[in-house]
Amino acid sequence: MADPLTSSSPSPDASSSSSGPPAAPGRPTRRGVLRAAAVAGALGGPLGTVISGAAPASAAPAPAAAAPPELPAQLTAHRAPYINWAGEITHEGLWVCAPRSGQDLADLANWAHANGWRLRARGKSHTWSPLTVTPATGPDARVLLLDTTEHLTAMETVPAPPGAAGAVRAQTGVLLETLMAFLAGHGLGVTNTPAPGELTLGGTLAIDAHGTSVPAVGETARPGHTYGSLSNLILSLTAVVWDADRGEYVLRTYHRGVDEECEALAAHVGRSLVVEVVLQAGEETPMRCLSRVDVTAGELFAAPGSELAARGNTFADFVDESGRVEAIWFAFTDRPWLKVWSLSPERPVTARKVHGPYNYPFSDSVPTTVARLAGRMVGDAAWYLAPALGAAQYTVAATGLTATLAADLWGASHHLLFYLRPTTLRETANGYAILTRRSDLQRVVSEFAGFYRERLAAWAAAGRYPVNGQVEIRAGGLDQPAECAAPGAGPPLLSAVRPHPGHPEYDCAVWIDVLTLPTTPGAPEFYRELERFLLDTFDGGHALARVEWSKGWGYTDTAAWDDEEVIGSVVPASYGSERWQRAIGVLDRLDPHRVFGNSFTDRLLRG
């Protein structure tokens, strides 16, 4: 077996509206980072390059500190700033090291246990959530960040099991974009990936990252593919775990369908360190992506059986036709940007062939008009410009699709599925997966859209604009064991799209995110109102709401991840208490000293 060398970080996505503790002197605050972005926006600069994983120009350098910790295996640590995706969790300097091998990671775990430190895999810091680093983490906290992207990126194809077209062994510091290009070079691919390619494999697996796909009407499942999350592709994994007999942390490999540990580690929400995985893959099939901006929100999100729904342009209609749909609905507009992907072995005559990912340049770098509006809203507290920002974003999308000949694209699947660069507008987001029956998909979409539109209008009538970004709606499959090539496989225990044993009729999920600029007044309060609607409406009848680990949830009127009822009761209940406790029991047994975790995961994943 290749040496396991990277880490499943709890990185990818959860949104924070929490203001966090007061900043230490010289420490870059979220508002400071965003004000720097506002200045760039006013000058027409790329807002996304300011709110990024690198320290903003306005941030003070990391303070001088005591001598760095003495690490094992000739590893060295240095201070580096930490800034998450939307700039809401910032630290002027935490200790970071770059492990070179899986054994380095085991040695670090033993060092951390002996010296009272905790380890967090940093990946690319593409996260909204406190699963990696919490806002309250001080610069001198005994937290060591692990940069898995420098050395832990090896990949190789391995023999495929029956039922899959191929398989790959990969260290989890590799970026998704790199991994998918490697697979494509061997004629292989996957059905689902998130939109950004600059995410570590470890981070995406830690939070069961997803794409958007269900079978189109008449579509037959392809060997090696899954309509569920990336975690459902795991055949085996190697993690750093506690060996009670030896009294130390070691590397150990677990196999799907054989070892119960694999089901817990496949989506561990930051409570472990997975260093290498073997993933199944299917044959690569080129895709077509059609974009439309002419279908009204009224039609797309129409109630089933209504006159508008009868026109045949509902979200569910497009899902039935192609199986792969995303709606991006800009605030205060009535025509979403609709993307419809479909399997297309041959290039349609009208489609433009693409030769790489990120084919929407008008959204990759923030246009001047959008940057200036965002800059005024954040820098001058001109939040009343939210309708203008929504209109500008729609106009940019509508004109950009035409100007760049991007309305009809064809090419390799990963070239079409990756479309979000780090230079895009950085927004905060909430996130939920609504499990339901395929026949109720449009009902769920319509119920959400109706409530969102009514509440947004009511807040605006009161002179308040808590949302100025977009709603993103996708439909995906569940983590069905039958789609895994490992005999006897069970679904990942903590995957948001784990099938619910009490509701075998649920066969798909509606993914819902609502985005807004960080620091927007009233955003947590609005998100709380929306969350309560989702939890009350989709309570296990025709649908069931689960939180999306990588986004914002558990809202109070002032902060995300702060509602103890949601954290302590609602979330566990959505999985079933027996399975929730089973997952926690395995994770606690594999890391009884909680080397892998932080104060937030301590609150969330407690027995």
Side-chain angles (χ1 to χ4, degrees):
M1 168 175 284
D3 187 27
L5 303 173
T6 192
S7 137
S8 255
S9 143
S11 71
D13 314 353
S15 32
S16 168
S17 299
S18 170
S19 59
R27 182 176 183 173
T29 64
R30 285 173 297 196
R31 185 166 292 277
V33 173
L34 293 166
R35 285 192 181 281
V39 172
L43 297 175
L47 182 62
T49 62
V50 179
I51 310 178
S52 70
S58 61
E70 295 185 11
L71 303 180
Q74 291 76 52
L75 293 168
T76 59
H78 64 278
R79 286 281 211 176
Y82 178 88
I83 302 175
N84 76 337
W85 171 256
E88 294 181 298
I89 300 177
T90 63
H91 296 281
E92 75 273 32
L94 295 171
W95 293 112
V96 182
C97 80
R100 301 162 307 228
S101 69
Q103 188 56 51
D104 280 354
L105 292 169
D107 291 342
L108 283 167
N110 287 311
W111 167 85
H113 169 48
N115 292 278
W117 283 65
R118 304 187 90 170
L119 304 179
R120 309 307 295 139
R122 183 180 67 177
K124 300 300 290 187
S125 301
H126 188 138
T127 174
W128 293 263
S129 79
L131 291 175
T132 303
V133 174
T134 66
T137 303
D140 295 318
R142 288 177 171 261
V143 174
L144 180 66
L145 300 181
L146 306 176
D147 181 359
T148 61
T149 66
E150 187 171 340
H151 302 295
L152 310 180
T153 60
M155 300 171 289
E156 63 176 355
T157 57
V158 296
V168 60
R169 175 181 288 117
Q171 299 170 333
T172 49
V174 69
L175 300 185
L176 281 191
E177 181 180 345
T178 305
L179 175 62
M180 295 308 155
F182 176 80
L183 286 173
H186 291 82
L188 300 171
V190 304
T191 294
N192 279 335
T193 68
E198 196 177 68
L199 305 173
T200 62
L201 174 61
T204 57
L205 294 176
I207 50 79
D208 66 289
H210 64 95
T212 176
S213 71
V214 295
V217 172
E219 179 179 333
T220 302
R222 297 174 295 156
H225 288 270
T226 180
Y227 298 104
S229 73
L230 285 172
S231 296
N232 202 36
L233 297 172
I234 293 174
L235 297 173
S236 67
L237 55 80
T238 301
V240 178
V241 302
W242 179 255
D243 186 315
D245 293 333
R246 294 168 57 177
E248 63 180 355
Y249 285 90
V250 299
L251 295 171
R252 185 155 294 157
T253 299
Y254 300 101
H255 297 275
R256 191 93 174 268
V258 176
D259 303 307
E260 68 165 354
E261 292 87 351
C262 206
E263 293 180 20
L265 293 170
H268 58 72
V269 199
R271 269 293 283 126
S272 188
L273 188 62
V274 174
V275 300
E276 178 183 278
V277 296
V278 174
L279 303 175
Q280 68 182 48
E283 290 186 358
E284 159 70 5
T285 300
M287 298 181 75
R288 181 187 195 184
C289 184
L290 280 169
S291 287
R292 296 183 60 174
V293 291
D294 61 324
V295 181
T296 67
E299 288 181 85
L300 194 62
F301 308 131
S306 67
E307 184 176 343
L308 283 174
R311 297 180 182 180
N313 286 324
T314 68
F315 188 89
D317 288 329
F318 288 105
V319 169
D320 285 346
E321 180 183 347
S322 73
R324 299 152 178 84
V325 177
E326 177 185 49
I328 300 176
W329 184 17
F330 301 108
F332 301 100
T333 66
D334 66 349
R335 280 180 168 78
W337 175 6
L338 179 68
K339 292 194 189 83
V340 181
W341 294 266
S342 56
L343 299 177
S344 181
E346 302 296 330
R347 181 178 72 87
V349 175
T350 59
R352 176 170 67 87
K353 183 177 181 179
V354 300
H355 301 279
Y358 312 114
N359 294 289
Y360 305 108
F362 51 87
S363 65
D364 288 338
S365 296
V366 184
T368 300
T369 301
V370 172
R372 285 176 175 168
L373 282 169
R376 282 198 61 194
M377 292 168 69
V378 176
D380 301 333
W383 302 106
Y384 61 87
L385 293 174
L389 180 62
Q393 289 177 299
Y394 169 80
T395 299
V396 165
T399 58
L401 287 167
T402 300
T404 62
L405 302 178
D408 190 355
L409 304 175
W410 178 87
S413 63
H414 67 291
H415 288 165
L416 295 181
L417 294 174
F418 291 135
Y419 61 85
L420 186 65
R421 289 186 184 274
T423 50
T424 192
L425 184 65
R426 302 288 183 98
E427 298 170 297
T428 191
N430 70 354
Y432 304 88
I434 315 299
L435 277 61
T436 191
R437 295 177 297 185
R438 181 75 173 266
S439 59
D440 281 329
L441 188 153
Q442 185 64 24
R443 177 182 174 184
V444 168
V445 169
S446 177
E447 288 172 336
F448 159 76
F451 181 83
Y452 166 79
R453 182 163 32 199
E454 185 276 324
R455 295 313 302 154
L456 196 64
W459 279 62
R464 303 181 69 189
Y465 299 89
V467 173
N468 42 56
Q470 62 271 18
V471 171
E472 297 177 351
I473 302 176
R474 305 174 181 89
L478 305 187
D479 283 341
Q480 302 291 357
E483 294 173 359
C484 179
L493 283 171
L494 295 180
S495 168
V497 287
R498 175 189 173 89
H500 195 291
H503 291 279
E505 73 277 15
Y506 296 163
D507 56 3
C508 68
V510 177
W511 293 92
I512 295 173
D513 304 322
V514 179
L515 290 81
T516 196
L517 290 171
T519 76
T520 301
E525 185 181 351
F526 183 89
Y527 281 143
R528 176 178 173 80
E529 195 174 271
L530 183 58
E531 179 174 81
R532 287 294 165 176
F533 166 79
L534 296 175
L535 296 177
D536 290 344
T537 304
F538 309 126
D539 61 353
H542 66 289
L544 175 71
R546 284 182 180 155
V547 303
E548 184 177 0
W549 298 124
S550 60
K551 301 288 173 56
W553 47 270
Y555 289 95
T556 63
D557 285 346
T558 57
W561 313 291
D562 204 36
D563 186 311
E564 287 302 327
E565 180 188 4
V566 172
I567 294 172
S569 299
V570 175
V571 170
S574 70
Y575 285 83
S577 59
E578 185 274 331
R579 285 162 184 80
W580 181 261
Q581 291 301 324
R582 177 183 162 202
I584 292 175
V586 173
L587 294 172
D588 283 348
R589 172 166 53 82
L590 298 181
D591 178 24
H593 308 291
R594 293 185 172 263
V595 165
F596 307 118
N598 59 31
S599 59
F600 178 69
T601 60
D602 290 345
R603 288 169 60 203
L604 173 65
L605 300 172
R606 55 194 178 203

